[in-house]
Amino acid sequence: DSGVTQTPKHLITATGQRVTLRCSPRSGDLSVYWYQQSLDQGLQFLIQYYNGEERAKGNILERFSAQQFPDLHSELNLSSLELGDSALYFCATARAAQGVTEAFFGQGTRLTVV
Amino acid sequence: QKEVEQDPGPLSVPEGAIVSLNCTYSNSAFQYFMWYRQYSRKGPELLMYTYSSGNKEDGRFTAQVDKSSKYISLFIRDSQPSDSATYLCAMSFGYGANSKLTFGKGITLSVRP
């Protein structure tokens, strides 16, 4: 168990809908990363927050947004969902560790858009 | 060109074989090189990391970085069925909690008993 909690584990929703994925970090981790994993694209970086502020952005669609709250938990909002958004969504949290970003991943949220 | 390219899979080997997993990258600014292992239905977990060039050994696992060739490898000796998983290489520019990781696509390894 990595100590990173993601909810829900599974989500099935219809096209056009909006969903919110939640991530609770390990105690003391200030950084949250969101990744999308699909079979053909692998693990794609979406966005990173550090201590409440957006720090880096990847190939995140405009329909997607995220935020990190004062208690350091984070939410990823996906709107106007399309079939192609079906994927595993991971959050990872990190703290400095001997100069290496050791990211601890949650178990993921499997999103199915029908 | 993708920043990080990983050999496509899947890969199937008999128990006891030596496994070589490889990644190449295009950005010479990467300084930290990591290997993550992902079991089915789980999130990736850090297996090993290396800073800059060189080798690092941990039990049956050896990570190797050649910055001049922009090439990294993970070797698994005496592979076991429990090593069956997806292996992802990852790289970062800096260090600390505010440095993003860029991953390869991953390769699925199956070790046959």
Side-chain angles (χ1 to χ4, degrees), chain A residues 10 30-33 35 37 39-45 48-50 55-58 88 90 94-108 110, chain B residues 2 32-34 36 38-39 41-51 56 86 88-92 94-106 108:
Chain A
H10 302 277
L30 299 178
S31 199
V32 175
Y33 306 81
Y35 286 87
Q37 188 175 40
L39 279 172
D40 56 341
Q41 293 293 317
L43 206 59
Q44 296 288 306
F45 171 70
Q48 178 203 0
Y49 278 81
Y50 180 73
R55 190 56 69 101
K57 219 165 183 174
L88 258 176
F90 285 105
R95 66 180 72 162
Q98 298 178 338
V100 173
T101 302
E102 180 169 2
F104 292 85
F105 282 77
Q107 293 219 355
R110 182 171 293 281
Chain B
K2 275 187 168 284
Y32 290 88
F33 303 91
M34 288 146 274
Y36 278 77
Q38 183 177 18
Y39 289 112
R41 302 183 192 281
K42 301 280 189 185
E45 57 181 354
L46 182 66
L47 189 60
M48 294 184 71
Y49 72 88
T50 314
Y51 171 69
K56 186 171 185 179
T86 297
L88 304 107
C89 60
M91 307 178 187
S92 70
Y95 61 92
N98 61 348
S99 174
K100 74 163 186 159
L101 296 169
T102 301
F103 283 86
K105 280 182 69 172
T108 298

Side-chain angles (χ1 to χ4, degrees), chain B residues 50-71:
Chain B
T50 314
Y51 171 69
S52 195
S53 282
N55 290 3
K56 186 171 185 179
E57 194 172 312
D58 183 1
R60 297 183 293 107
F61 297 86
T62 300
Q64 196 172 74
V65 175
D66 181 349
K67 287 196 79 178
S68 61
S69 303
K70 299 195 187 72
Y71 191 88

Side-chain angles (χ1 to χ4, degrees), chain A residues 8-84:
Chain A
K9 284 190 171 48
H10 302 277
L11 200 47
I12 301 175
T13 190
T15 54
Q17 295 299 305
R18 173 190 167 95
V19 297
T20 297
L21 313 183
R22 183 187 168 103
C23 173
S24 295
R26 299 184 319 150
S27 175
D29 283 1
L30 299 178
S31 199
V32 175
Y33 306 81
W34 285 98
Y35 286 87
Q36 179 192 58
Q37 188 175 40
S38 60
L39 279 172
D40 56 341
Q41 293 293 317
L43 206 59
Q44 296 288 306
F45 171 70
L46 295 177
I47 197 163
Q48 178 203 0
Y49 278 81
Y50 180 73
N51 203 19
E53 293 187 6
E54 183 183 304
R55 190 56 69 101
K57 219 165 183 174
N59 297 324
I60 187 167
L61 299 171
E62 283 190 15
R63 301 183 284 110
F64 296 0
S65 65
Q67 52 183 325
Q68 186 179 28
F69 294 88
D71 67 353
L72 300 177
H73 91 271
S74 179
E75 292 180 356
L76 179 67
N77 300 295
L78 314 176
S79 61
S80 302
L81 284 167
E82 302 174 359
L83 295 177

Side-chain angles (χ1 to χ4, degrees), chain B residues 68-83:
Chain B
S68 61
S69 303
K70 299 195 187 72
Y71 191 88
I72 73 169
S73 299
L74 177 70
F75 298 97
I76 307 174
R77 289 185 302 281
D78 187 25
S79 55
Q80 302 295 310
S82 59
D83 296 328

